[in-house]
Amino acid sequence: MKFRKSAALLAAAFTVAGLTACGSDSDAPSGDSASSSTGIKGAVIGFAQVGSESGWRSANTDSIKAAAAKYGVDLKFTSAEGDQTKQIASIKTFITQGVDVIAFSPVVETGYDAVLQEAKAAGIPVILTDRAVDADPSLYKTFIGSDFIKEGEKAATWAKTEFADDAAVNMVVLEGTTGSAPANDRKTGWDNVLGKETKFKTLASQTGEFTRDGGKKVMEGFLAKYPNINLVYAHNDDMGLGAIEAIEAAGKVPGKDIKIVTIDAVKAGMEALAAGKINYIVECSPLLGDQLFDAASSVLAGKDIPARIITEEGEFNQAQAKAALPDRKY
Ligand code: AHR
C-alpha cells in the first residue's frame, strides 16, 4: 500500500517536471521494459496462480517468477491447484495484507465478482493474466493474455483443410477445465469455423482437466466406445500427449490412424509434432511475466493502460515445429 502512495507521488512529480522542463524528460520513465522495471522496484504484488496442471502452466509460473526477480518486485505467489475457493481465499489474503497490486489467472470464468469488489473497496488494483472472468470490467485494470476464440478458429481452419477431401470426419474432443475461459472459448472458436459443417461429427466431448493423465483416461474411454475416430481436438498439448499414449496402447498410430490437433506449443507438444504424432499445434504463449509487470508498473504510476492486452502467437505444422524446436524456451 505504501508503494502505491509513493508511486502516485512520483507520477505527479514526473508530470510537474515534464511541464516545467518543456518536454525535456530524459530522466522520466519512457514506458519500455527497462524503465518500467525501475518504476516498479520494491512493489508488493500478489499473484494467485491456477495450479500446476500442465506444461503451459509451469512455463507461465516460471515466466512470472523470473520477471518478478528481474523487475525487483516482492512477489507473493500462491497456487490454487485448480480450486477456485482456494484461489479466492488467496486473493482475500492479499487484500488483508494490503499488497500494491493483485494479479491472478482465474480458474473458471464466473464467481469472482465479490472478491473483485473487495479489492476495489480496498483500493488495490487488479490485473487479470491468461484467463478472463465474466465480471464488470471496471473491477480490474486490464486482461493480459491470448485470444482463445481465435486459437479455436485456427485449429478448426487447419482441420477443414486437412480433411477437405474426406466425406465424413469422426471427431472426439478433449476439453479443458469445465467453465474455464480457454475451454469455453476454444469450443466457440472451433464452432465458429466448423459448427455448420455437418461432415464433422462430434462422437464425444469430455473434459480431461487440461492434464496429461486426464487426456489419457478420457481418450481410453473414447477408444473403447468408438472404433472409428479420425480426429482428436485437444484443448491443450498435455491432453493431446495423454491421448497419444492411449492411442498407442490401443494399437493405433497417432498422427496417422487418428489425427490430432492441439493448442499451446510447449516443448513436449512440439516434439510430438516433430515426430508426427501430433499433426498441428496452435500456439498459446505462457510468457506473460514481462507484460504483467510492465502493466502493473504503469498502473502504479497512475497511467492509463489498455483494457485488453492480447498476446501474439503463431501456429505450427511438422516442418515448422522441427525448425522452431532448437530455440524453444518452454
Ligand atoms: O489458460 C491457458 C491454458 O491453461 C493452457 O492452454 C493450458 O495448457 C493451461 O492449463
Side-chain angles (χ1 to χ4, degrees):
M1 195 61 100
K2 264 191 210 133
F3 186 92
R4 272 205 306 281
K5 281 187 193 139
S6 54
L9 285 173
L10 200 63
F14 280 132
T15 309
V16 171
L19 285 173
T20 52
C22 296
S24 164
D25 59 351
S26 55
D27 292 327
S30 67
D32 64 13
S33 294
S35 56
S36 297
S37 67
T38 314
I40 201 171
K41 199 167 183 204
V44 182
I45 304 214
F47 187 89
Q49 181 60 289
V50 170
S52 51
E53 72 281 5
S54 63
W56 189 99
R57 189 62 55 199
S58 307
N60 180 244
T61 292
D62 290 349
S63 166
I64 285 155
K65 289 185 175 172
K70 183 172 102 184
Y71 285 46
V73 162
D74 179 359
L75 181 70
K76 298 197 178 300
F77 182 92
T78 62
S79 173
E81 297 309 331
D83 180 343
Q84 183 187 29
T85 309
K86 206 170 158 187
Q87 187 175 48
I88 289 174
S90 285
I91 298 168
K92 282 174 181 276
T93 303
F94 294 150
I95 296 170
T96 310
Q97 290 169 337
V99 301
D100 293 301
V101 177
I102 292 172
F104 70 103
S105 174
V107 176
V108 290
E109 282 197 272
T110 54
Y112 291 92
D113 304 63
V115 77
L116 287 170
Q117 292 282 6
E118 274 180 50
K120 190 171 188 178
I124 302 177
V126 172
I127 294 176
L128 300 181
T129 72
D130 162 34
R131 297 182 178 181
V133 290
D134 183 7
D136 175 357
S138 74
L139 295 175
Y140 54 89
K141 293 288 177 188
T142 186
F143 162 39
I144 303 168
S146 310
D147 183 337
F148 296 137
I149 294 182
K150 202 178 248 175
E151 290 172 353
E153 289 173 348
K154 287 176 182 173
T157 301
W158 168 81
K160 193 173 177 177
T161 308
E162 182 70 13
F163 291 95
D165 298 333
D166 295 71
V169 183
N170 291 318
M171 177 175 82
V172 293
V173 183
L174 297 169
E175 301 166 15
T177 304
T178 305
S180 68
N184 293 341
D185 290 355
R186 287 170 186 169
K187 175 181 174 13
T188 301
W190 183 280
D191 290 347
N192 285 350
V193 176
L194 288 175
K196 291 196 179 102
E197 296 262 354
T198 47
K199 80 172 194 180
F200 280 84
K201 186 176 172 209
T202 305
L203 299 176
S205 184
Q206 197 179 314
T207 183
E209 302 291 354
F210 279 131
T211 67
R212 191 186 284 225
D213 268 6
K216 184 178 175 194
K217 282 195 190 100
V218 173
M219 191 65 202
E220 283 167 354
F222 288 165
L223 287 161
K225 200 161 171 200
Y226 305 103
N228 55 345
I229 300 168
N230 309 120
L231 172 65
V232 175
Y233 172 34
H235 284 181
N236 80 342
D237 287 352
D238 284 70
M239 293 189 294
L241 293 165
I244 289 171
E245 290 178 34
I247 292 167
E248 286 176 337
K252 296 196 173 187
V253 182
K256 290 202 168 62
D257 297 335
I258 299 179
K259 293 190 174 162
I260 304 177
V261 57
T262 69
I263 295 171
D264 273 357
V266 295
K267 209 172 235 169
M270 295 285 271
E271 283 164 358
L273 175 56
K277 295 184 178 195
I278 290 178
N279 303 82
Y280 201 71
I281 300 184
V282 176
E283 187 177 35
C284 176
S285 176
L287 306 180
L288 304 179
D290 282 11
Q291 282 174 301
L292 167 59
F293 295 117
D294 274 343
S297 181
S298 295
V299 167
L300 288 172
K303 294 181 192 164
D304 283 337
I305 57 170
R308 178 77 171 96
I309 299 170
I310 300 179
T311 318
E312 279 180 34
E313 36 216 18
E315 303 167 60
F316 300 92
N317 60 23
Q318 188 180 33
Q320 289 161 332
K322 280 182 182 166
L325 262 172
D327 299 322
R328 203 74 187 151
K329 294 206 168 45
Y330 55 91

